[in-house]
Structure formats: C-alpha cells, structure tokens
Amino acid sequence: MGSSGINAEYMGSSGINAEYMGSSGINAEYMGSSGINAEYMGAALGTGLAPVRGIVRDRIHAWKGGEKTGPMSMFFGARQKKNEYLYGDEWDDWEANYTPGFEGNFAWSRDQEHKIYIQDKIMEKPQQMYDYLVRDGGYFYACGSSAVNDLKQYVAKCLVQVAPDEFTEESALEYLMDLQVKGKYNVESW
C-alpha cells in the first residue's frame, strides 16, 4: 500500500480479513499507491482536526517520498484564530510548497461580529466541491462534533449550484449517500 503506512490489515472477530483505517472504517484506498493521487477534501470541527491533519500529513510524506499525490483542500472551523490556529506553520508551509496543491479554508466563528462557520467556507467553493467529488472522483472526510453530519446538506447545495441540469437537492443528497456507501464520503462524529 505505498509508503503511507496508514492502511493496516486486521482479522475481525468474524474471522474475515478486512482493510481498516481509524475507528470509522474509512475506505483508505486513496491512502495507498493505487489512489493517493485522488483529490482529497477534509473538513474538521475543533478536535476533529487531528485525524484530518493525519491524512494530510500522510499524503505530504508520500509526496516527499516521490509518490504521485493529488491536490487537497481542508476546511477547519473553530472559535478564534489566535487561540485555535493549531499547526498554523504546517498549513502555511503546505499551501506554499505542496505542488499538487493544498488549500486551507479556515472559519473563525468569533473573530468578527458576523459569525463565519465551516459550512460558509464550503459554500464559497461550489466548483471545487463539484470538481473533486463528481468530475474527478475524489474523497471527502469530515470529522468532529455531530455538527459535521450537517455538512452533507451544504455539499449537496454546492453540486446543485454548479450543475443544476445534473442535480436537484434531492438527487445531490442521493449522490453523496452513494459516495458514502462506496467509502468516498466519510463522516466521523461524536
């Protein structure tokens, strides 16, 4: 599975071998050499940043090791930049130096009078949502409090905005559910 090292095999209690990554059972094909070049979007709320950062770091490591990797976009929401811009030096470095492309989209809800949330940042990127998830068959992974479950509504709205002849809100949600079944749209929440 490439140099990423995140994929691991395990023997479940049923005695069936399965590939496993993290507690959510995320389809980790894109972390291996067969698909690490796929587009990746991560969305994190608060402490949900840790697994999203792990995936980003793993792809950066593979890229530095000579593997072909795809572009990445990360959405992160927290209250205040001054207290919660965790790993800011890393994000800045990756935006400047990761040549396949890394984009950080940060929502600081309490830094201004008008609150800005992660869904607002997602809605600013409808073309990217469409390109990554529909045109190019990339992956979306959201992690954090139960509020990340609501992001699917906003991603669906982005698809409709870009391709109204292709999607209604209902069919966009069905499309995202199909991606979820295929392991390409993943949510890990608590």
Side-chain angles (χ1 to χ4, degrees):
M1 286 255 94
S3 67
S4 66
I6 285 186
N7 251 353
E9 273 199 12
Y10 78 101
M11 178 80 65
S13 59
S14 64
I16 299 170
N17 278 327
E19 286 197 335
Y20 177 81
M21 180 186 150
S23 59
S24 65
I26 296 166
N27 179 336
E29 174 193 27
Y30 69 97
M31 299 303 293
S33 60
S34 64
I36 198 167
N37 59 345
E39 285 83 355
Y40 165 75
M41 270 190 261
L45 294 176
T47 57
L49 181 61
V52 170
R53 177 178 174 244
I55 292 170
V56 171
R57 289 184 68 171
D58 197 69
R59 289 172 60 112
I60 298 281
H61 177 75
W63 172 70
K64 286 181 176 179
E67 290 189 54
K68 183 178 189 247
T69 57
M72 298 181 280
S73 185
M74 184 195 67
F75 297 85
F76 176 61
R79 290 177 300 267
Q80 296 176 319
K81 182 176 182 176
K82 72 177 183 172
N83 297 325
E84 298 173 280
Y85 188 47
L86 306 173
Y87 316 108
D89 292 342
E90 284 182 348
W91 310 127
D92 295 342
D93 177 58
W94 297 338
E95 280 190 306
N97 298 309
Y98 179 68
T99 57
F102 176 82
E103 179 180 28
N105 302 281
F106 301 94
W108 311 111
S109 63
R110 305 299 191 271
D111 277 355
Q112 61 284 315
E113 188 173 321
H114 172 74
K115 294 181 179 172
I116 299 171
Y117 296 106
I118 193 172
Q119 60 266 29
D120 299 317
K121 292 297 183 178
I122 285 173
M123 292 300 294
E124 290 175 4
K125 302 289 184 179
Q127 188 67 54
Q128 185 181 61
M129 292 289 157
Y130 181 87
D131 291 350
Y132 274 36
L133 298 176
V134 179
R135 186 191 71 192
D136 301 331
Y139 291 82
F140 187 94
Y141 172 60
C143 189
S145 70
S146 61
V148 296
N149 292 304
D150 299 333
L151 296 181
K152 190 180 294 181
Q153 304 293 325
Y154 297 95
V155 173
K157 287 178 183 183
C158 287
L159 301 184
V160 173
Q161 184 179 342
V162 172
D165 294 337
E166 187 176 352
F167 290 108
T168 64
E169 277 200 43
E170 184 178 326
S171 69
L173 286 169
E174 289 171 5
Y175 179 80
L176 295 175
M177 285 297 293
D178 186 53
L179 290 182
Q180 201 163 3
V181 168
K182 293 175 180 174
K184 290 187 150 226
Y185 187 102
N186 301 282
V187 177
E188 187 166 353
S189 66
W190 46 86

